[in-house]
Amino acid sequence: MKEKKAAIGFIFITLIIDITGWGLIIPVLPTLIEELTGEGVSAAARWAGWLGFAYAITQFLFAPIVGNLSDKYGRRPVLLFSLLGFGIDYILLALAPTMAWLFIGRIIAGMTGASITTASAYIADISTAETRAKNFGMIGAAFGLGFILGPVLGGLLGQYGPRVPFWTAAGLCFLNTLYGFFILPESLDKAHRRPFQWSSAIPFKSLLKLKRYPAISGLIASLVLVYIAGHAVQSNWSFYGIERFAWDEKMIGISLGVVGLLVGAVQGGLVRVVNPRIGNERSVYAGLFLYAVGMILFGVATQTWMMFLFLIPYCLGGICGPALQAIISGQVPPNQQGELQGALTSLMSATSIIGPPLMTNTFAIFTQKSAPVYLPGAPFFLGAILMFISTFLAYRSLHPAKLLSA
């Protein structure tokens, strides 16, 4: 038990450092894109969406390969390789003289970006049925803490130039790699490893394997919509703040720091209380509803303080994530967790191929000079609709008999 607690501590710290580096660059990315393209915020949002597309499509292709490699060689070496790839990505972004360099960096990160996938498999290795949801919640907590530190530091460092946070992020990634090399233990012993199979590493084939487990296949449609809807916030937050409230890098960083604080409180604390009391299924429904409400409120906000206030219901929606992870991972044996998490990451990447360009282009269409109607909150309204549909699909998947009898 002590060894498992220590291992969770190691992976938790590793994820915090990794996510802090990622959060550092978010406040300055719009400025860097505008600097390289000479265009305004609407066009910059479009570019950011296509950068997200480039990262997602390469991760979609490579995540199942990386997941299968972690089942063969263990989680530790794959995680270290992933962190090294992110460090190289940040250096390319820091040096970028053109947008092409940004795309090359994002593609490299997509090819090696399996830190969350491998961390999820790592946690599954050392979790029991009783602790699975709680331990998966630590991933969300790491995201929260990383986003408290990363964006705030990025916003402050961005005042010295839009490229400074990228150098800092690269340094953190390399330090994280060293930390993992000397401290992080292996979680998958040789007895539970399996040979690498190319047939299991084909992206679409790995997704089809999810149909082996009824609870997973029934929730796939719901998960797809959740991931796509989430990009209404993830891909547009900085651009919406700039367009609607004239936020600078510092304010973007502070706002995202608040997001991190709330996410950390929900994932690291509230999940431990709510999920055991109301169960994973009810946590899914409640979380999806709160996500939708939060998005609608973002879309109608007229002042900065409203965005901060409306973060509360939106971030409370985070109780659904660990619940979904618990339902899904509970259907899979230990020696297939890497394959499962790789397939789920492929699913997330597949929706991220759609989500960023869909949501950022929606934002651009409704904020450009030729917009049919000026509505910068349009992506949030679209996201809310998708969340409501997702709630219905989740219920239908878990209770098909009730709907048939009705």
Side-chain angles (χ1 to χ4, degrees), residues 26-50:
I26 295 176
V28 296
L29 187 59
T31 303
L32 181 60
I33 294 175
E34 289 184 66
E35 176 185 295
L36 293 176
T37 63
E39 299 176 313
V41 66
S42 294
R46 275 202 175 99
W47 279 110
W50 291 117

Side-chain angles (χ1 to χ4, degrees), residues 54-108:
Y55 173 80
I57 196 167
T58 50
Q59 190 179 58
F60 174 73
L61 295 173
F62 283 88
I65 297 175
V66 172
N68 276 268
L69 286 173
S70 77
D71 282 341
K72 176 178 174 61
Y73 296 107
R75 319 300 185 200
R76 183 174 177 273
V78 172
L79 183 59
L80 295 180
F81 180 72
S82 169
L83 297 175
L84 191 61
F86 270 118
I88 295 171
D89 166 40
Y90 293 138
I91 289 177
L92 286 174
L93 298 182
L95 295 171
T98 66
M99 286 297 299
W101 280 53
L102 297 190
F103 279 97
I104 292 171
R106 290 284 78 193
I107 288 170
I108 291 174

Side-chain angles (χ1 to χ4, degrees), residues 221-287:
S222 177
L223 281 171
V224 166
L225 292 182
V226 170
Y227 291 149
I228 293 175
H231 283 284
V233 177
Q234 296 169 24
S235 299
N236 282 300
W237 184 264
S238 299
F239 300 100
Y240 183 74
I242 293 170
E243 175 68 22
R244 196 78 174 89
F245 311 110
W247 286 355
D248 59 10
E249 292 90 346
K250 183 178 179 181
M251 181 54 70
I252 293 171
I254 291 172
S255 67
L256 289 172
V258 173
V259 172
L261 181 63
L262 292 174
V263 169
V266 171
Q267 301 288 344
L270 193 62
V271 165
R272 296 168 178 260
V273 178
V274 172
N275 283 38
R277 290 190 178 182
I278 70 174
N280 288 327
E281 185 180 340
R282 289 182 179 177
S283 295
V284 170
Y285 302 145

Side-chain angles (χ1 to χ4, degrees), residues 232 236 240 299 359 362-363 366 373 375-385:
N236 282 300
Y240 183 74
M359 295 302 180
T362 299
F363 173 81
F366 286 94
V373 58
L375 190 66
F380 297 130
F381 299 137
L382 176 57
I385 292 171

Side-chain angles (χ1 to χ4, degrees), residues 137-158:
M138 296 305 291
I139 295 179
F143 264 97
L145 290 174
F147 264 93
I148 293 171
L149 299 173
V152 173
L153 289 174
L156 294 174
L157 291 172

Side-chain angles (χ1 to χ4, degrees), residues 107-261:
I107 288 170
I108 291 174
M111 292 172 63
T112 61
S115 57
I116 305 302
T117 303
T118 312
S120 297
Y122 191 108
I123 289 174
D125 291 339
I126 60 176
S127 298
T128 64
E130 292 78 17
T131 62
R132 189 171 283 116
K134 178 181 69 175
N135 290 342
F136 274 122
M138 296 305 291
I139 295 179
F143 264 97
L145 290 174
F147 264 93
I148 293 171
L149 299 173
V152 173
L153 289 174
L156 294 174
L157 291 172
Q159 296 178 317
Y160 299 97
R163 297 172 189 267
V164 174
F166 292 95
W167 287 111
T168 307
L172 283 176
C173 275
F174 292 134
L175 286 175
N176 198 5
T177 304
L178 289 174
Y179 170 81
F181 182 81
F182 289 107
I183 302 296
L184 189 68
E186 178 56 64
S187 65
L188 187 66
D189 58 66
K190 294 184 178 180
H192 288 95
R193 298 182 188 181
R194 64 179 179 85
F196 180 87
Q197 297 176 332
W198 277 107
S199 60
S200 299
I202 300 172
F204 290 103
K205 191 169 184 179
S206 67
L207 293 179
L208 292 175
K209 286 189 175 183
L210 295 175
K211 292 184 177 180
R212 294 177 182 176
Y213 314 102
I216 295 175
S217 61
L219 291 170
I220 290 299
S222 177
L223 281 171
V224 166
L225 292 182
V226 170
Y227 291 149
I228 293 175
H231 283 284
V233 177
Q234 296 169 24
S235 299
N236 282 300
W237 184 264
S238 299
F239 300 100
Y240 183 74
I242 293 170
E243 175 68 22
R244 196 78 174 89
F245 311 110
W247 286 355
D248 59 10
E249 292 90 346
K250 183 178 179 181
M251 181 54 70
I252 293 171
I254 291 172
S255 67
L256 289 172
V258 173
V259 172
L261 181 63

